[in-house]
Amino acid sequence: MTDPDRQERVKAILDAALDLDPAARAAFVSGECADDATLLEEVRSLLEAVDRTGDPLERPLPQHSELGAPALEGTLLGSYRLLRRVGAGGMGVVYEAERADEQFDRRVAIKLLHGQGHSEDLIRRFRQERQILASLAHPNIVSMLDAGVTGDGRLFLVMEYVEGERIDVFSERRGLTTEQRIDLFRQVCAAVQFAHQNLVVHRDLKPGNILVTPDGVVKLLDFGVAKIVSPGADPDRTVTEAGARAFTPAYASPEQLRGEAVTVLSDIYALGVVLYEILAGRGPYAFRGESIFEMERIVSSSEPTLPSAALAQGGPAGVAPGVRAQELRGDLDQIILTAIRKEPERRYPSAAQLGEDLRRFLSGRPVLAQPDTLGYRARKFVRRHRSSILVATVGVVALTVGLSGAVVQRSRARLAQARAEQQAQDVRRLVGSLVFDVHDAISELPGSTEARALLLDRAYASLEGLALDVGGDPALEWEVAEALLRLGIAQGQPAGASLGDLSAAARSYEKGIELARAAVAGAPAQTRYRRTLAVLQEQMGDALAFRGEVGAGVGLAQEALSGYATIAQAAPDSARHALSVVISLVKLGDLTGNPNFPNLGLADSARAIYATAELRLATYPLADNAAWGVRRFRGLVQERIGTLARLNGDLAAARAAFEVSLSVRRQLADEAPTNVDAVRDVGVAYQNLCEVEAGLGDLALARSRCELALETYAGLHVSDTSNAQGLTDLALGHRSLAGVLDESGEVESALDHLSTARDWLLRRLELDASDVRGRLELARAEAYHSLLARSAGRPAPFATDAEARLSELQAQGLTAPDDLVLLERLGTTER
């Protein structure tokens, strides 16, 4: 073995040993060095030196040994004075330092490489870390300030000084709840996603490299072993150099332990292990000093313990009481297991998607992680048999319907024997298999819409039958209510991605509300039960309003707001519950007087409600909160404020609010490019600015904004043609562009876009003719087309339909003042 290779092996063994408990180190080192007595003695002597100094790996390898060297505290390094040693690693020692030239006060961290005669490998890694840190400007990544060489030839980096604790220690000492830990971890996901987008793979993600400041800001550090992917290469593929096993084995992916290609998916695995530890208090595998090769065998061949089971079995004494096994059971178990799949291609494809799934969990929405059961096998089947689309689809549906009945019968039998715990799992498996797994497996197939509708209907029937057996058991009542909530969202969430079947969704929500009320009555102290009830009421309110029952919808929105407020009052430090109140306020404002939604026409009341939401976002615990969801609703509230300013004729104020909203939304979409809501939000912001700029007379800018909005909507539709919301978005985008073209004198093009808008709305109403917004927008598009065609001396084929639709909607009290003007013009204009 050459000397550099030997140094790399010593580094790898030391790094791994120092991450183990002292009691396990001896066995680990003996196993790693069993074939080389000299190496064993060398490693043992270095470990003894570490024990004497009390700092982890603060001494370099033998080639650059500085054992016995004087301490550097108080010495000058350029413009900085070294204050104290704060850490160390395989490349060097880290000192806290301060500016010594009195130009300004600033504390920094200086990473000083070991020795003077640096090896080529150490210099290469130093330059790589310098290049990486210089390219990564992100609030959750430690920033580089300077770099250079000391007078005696030692390389150093000057970095942002982070006064914080490891993320696991921070979580335990502060007794953070499950939700708070997840919020912290989502900051880690954002940092890693940013690194990956800049073609950087960290390769050594672990709690020791993730610090949290006292005010809860995560900082990712130590890119010493990170890898830059060349700009022309596939960012998902980067190969670890031969012999360079500089990583922490307990957090390394199976392919990393085997010395194979290390990709962004290897970082996803490490993120999963970190999340596992933060929530369960231990890792997925119980390592006890095994060699790297034995660890690789365990990770590759053994199934990890479920995080909820690991916590239930008893983790370390320091595990906070705020984390309970039942909170991990189900979705969180599945999210973590997806991140640490043995096969890289089956993990989350990005850190952004992992963070997005955690956001979905926190908001009570269906998660993307799927159990490795019926759904996974269905997806594999679909990919293999795309030529037999309908046959495969119907076959899957038939199989699923049969299984659903069997699961219900099995659940009933178990109810008589063991009750809640196992049956709750049955419910989750049932919903996961029928509604999300199999449904998602066939959702992209052409011609599968009818089969999807059948599948969802049968799933509802199965859940309804199971619900008959849960009376008197609050835990299971809540489980079924939660399942019905998710089913309803998939069926017909009016303001989000769904199949667009509002009637089916309303049935699911109605039964869910009944069960959630029973669960709350049986266990009033359970916050989760109260939250599920509030979410169901909120969703039911939307469904009713979009079906024309606006008053009833507002009533349910007010009940939901009251429920959220009660929960938030009981937990004044919870950002999640505070944000739920903000979201509920926005939804209430929408139904009260926002012209973009079915509403009561009370614009002033809506404006006051939005102002209250804005105030809450600026108040503790949401003030200065950088969480993705909080920032999203800051942008959304600005959009709502701009909408009402435009309604009031104040276009300048509307434009200012929309510009703020667009700025926020662009940043969020950059951080979460796979998040449909984030991408759609950007399209909506462009469309709003298009209409305002047109009103202010800047038609060129308005046109470019509208085209960007349409481009965004079209991209979303191509990726999910079954999303009913996407049909409405495309229609409104075309209508907005038609208005700009009309103002520009391009009448023929404007008429074409209005015809296209009408076509999209007709497709939307084919899914559910009761959608009031769809009916109203169709009437408006037909009316605009008719009036524009007549003004150009052309026939108006849609005039009769438009007049009839507007008259009907007016009789139901569902039109706005501008709609009455349209109706009057249609009746008075010559035909």
Side-chain angles (χ1 to χ4, degrees), residues 270-333:
L271 284 173
V273 177
V274 172
L275 179 59
Y276 194 121
E277 285 196 358
I278 293 172
L279 296 179
R282 48 158 280 193
Y285 301 98
F287 296 128
R288 291 181 173 83
E290 292 88 350
S291 69
I292 289 179
F293 304 104
E294 181 63 16
M295 292 173 74
E296 185 272 320
R297 186 194 65 78
I298 292 171
V299 170
S300 297
S301 61
S302 303
E303 291 302 318
T305 304
L306 282 174
S308 59
L311 187 58
Q313 291 165 6
V319 173
V323 182
R324 297 186 295 273
Q326 68 182 44
E327 294 177 324
L328 308 188
R329 195 170 294 121
D331 283 349
L332 281 177
D333 274 341

Side-chain angles (χ1 to χ4, degrees), residues 353 379 382-383 386 389-390 393 436-449 452 499 716-723:
Q353 191 170 100
R379 282 191 293 275
V382 166
R383 289 170 187 157
R386 287 187 178 273
I389 294 169
L390 289 178
T393 300
F436 303 117
D437 288 346
V438 177
H439 168 262
D440 288 349
I442 66 173
S443 63
E444 296 180 0
L445 292 176
S448 65
T449 303
R452 293 176 66 197
L499 292 180
L716 289 173
H717 176 68
V718 168
S719 66
D720 184 5
T721 57
S722 298
N723 180 6

Side-chain angles (χ1 to χ4, degrees), residues 6 65 105 129 157 165 257 394 442 463 502 518 594 697 703 720 817:
R6 186 180 187 81
S65 179
D105 294 329
E129 183 172 14
L157 290 172
E165 296 178 296
L257 289 168
V394 173
I442 66 173
L463 289 169
L502 296 174
N594 189 321
R703 183 169 185 163
D720 184 5

Side-chain angles (χ1 to χ4, degrees), residues 702-770:
R703 183 169 185 163
S704 69
R705 300 289 202 187
C706 263
E707 288 171 346
L708 285 170
L710 264 177
E711 180 182 337
T712 303
Y713 296 150
L716 289 173
H717 176 68
V718 168
S719 66
D720 184 5
T721 57
S722 298
N723 180 6
Q725 176 68 50
L727 304 178
T728 305
D729 288 340
L730 281 167
L732 298 186
H734 280 286
R735 193 186 71 186
S736 295
L737 181 55
V740 176
L741 294 171
D742 178 25
E743 291 291 327
S744 303
E746 300 178 46
V747 175
E748 295 301 320
S749 293
L751 287 170
D752 286 343
H753 280 282
L754 287 171
S755 293
T756 302
R758 179 177 183 272
D759 291 341
W760 285 117
L761 288 165
L762 287 171
R763 286 183 58 182
R764 168 66 187 94
L765 291 170
E766 286 176 1
L767 301 176
D768 186 350
S770 69

Side-chain angles (χ1 to χ4, degrees), residues 489-762:
I489 289 172
Q491 290 169 321
Q493 181 180 212
S498 75
L499 292 180
D501 191 342
L502 296 174
S503 299
R507 292 197 303 271
S508 296
Y509 297 144
E510 185 176 17
K511 184 61 178 177
I513 289 173
E514 178 185 338
L515 288 166
R517 287 189 192 279
V520 170
Q526 284 288 344
T527 299
R528 298 181 78 185
Y529 299 176
R530 292 182 176 276
R531 178 178 173 80
T532 296
L533 175 59
V535 178
L536 280 160
Q537 290 170 328
E538 188 173 77
Q539 293 293 336
M540 183 67 165
D542 278 349
L544 290 178
F546 273 76
R547 292 175 63 197
E549 302 173 57
V550 181
V554 169
L556 278 168
Q558 290 171 333
E559 286 188 55
L561 176 59
S562 177
Y564 286 129
T566 300
I567 294 170
Q569 288 169 4
D573 296 327
S574 171
R576 177 194 181 191
H577 296 321
L579 182 60
S580 293
V581 174
V582 169
I583 296 171
S584 189
L585 282 166
V586 169
K587 287 184 173 291
L588 179 59
D590 292 343
L591 301 185
T592 299
N594 189 321
N596 293 328
F597 298 85
N599 68 92
L600 296 177
L602 305 174
D604 289 341
S605 297
R607 189 175 292 106
I609 293 170
Y610 292 146
T612 302
E614 185 179 29
L615 178 62
R616 283 183 173 268
L617 284 167
T619 306
Y620 179 83
L622 298 179
D624 301 322
N625 189 305
W628 193 93
V630 176
R631 287 184 289 143
R632 181 186 180 221
F633 271 86
R634 287 198 183 103
L636 190 143
V637 167
Q638 287 303 310
E639 182 241 307
R640 299 304 204 261
I641 290 172
T643 296
L644 293 186
R646 182 176 64 190
L647 181 67
N648 204 38
D650 191 346
L651 297 185
R655 178 167 60 183
F658 289 151
E659 289 284 6
V660 172
S661 181
L662 176 61
S663 176
V664 172
R665 290 173 169 188
R666 277 175 170 167
Q667 182 178 358
L668 294 174
D670 287 342
E671 294 175 17
T674 61
N675 185 310
V676 174
D677 289 336
V679 176
R680 179 180 179 270
D681 283 350
V682 173
V684 172
Y686 281 134
Q687 184 180 346
N688 284 327
L689 282 167
C690 162
E691 295 179 355
V692 168
E693 296 294 355
L696 290 169
D698 193 338
L699 297 179
L701 180 57
R703 183 169 185 163
S704 69
R705 300 289 202 187
C706 263
E707 288 171 346
L708 285 170
L710 264 177
E711 180 182 337
T712 303
Y713 296 150
L716 289 173
H717 176 68
V718 168
S719 66
D720 184 5
T721 57
S722 298
N723 180 6
Q725 176 68 50
L727 304 178
T728 305
D729 288 340
L730 281 167
L732 298 186
H734 280 286
R735 193 186 71 186
S736 295
L737 181 55
V740 176
L741 294 171
D742 178 25
E743 291 291 327
S744 303
E746 300 178 46
V747 175
E748 295 301 320
S749 293
L751 287 170
D752 286 343
H753 280 282
L754 287 171
S755 293
T756 302
R758 179 177 183 272
D759 291 341
W760 285 117
L761 288 165
L762 287 171

Side-chain angles (χ1 to χ4, degrees), residues 218-241:
V218 164
K219 291 287 184 178
L220 180 61
L221 60 150
D222 200 350
F223 284 80
V225 299
K227 175 72 175 180
I228 300 177
V229 184
S230 61
D234 183 347
D236 286 342
R237 295 196 58 80
T238 177
V239 180
T240 304
E241 297 88 340

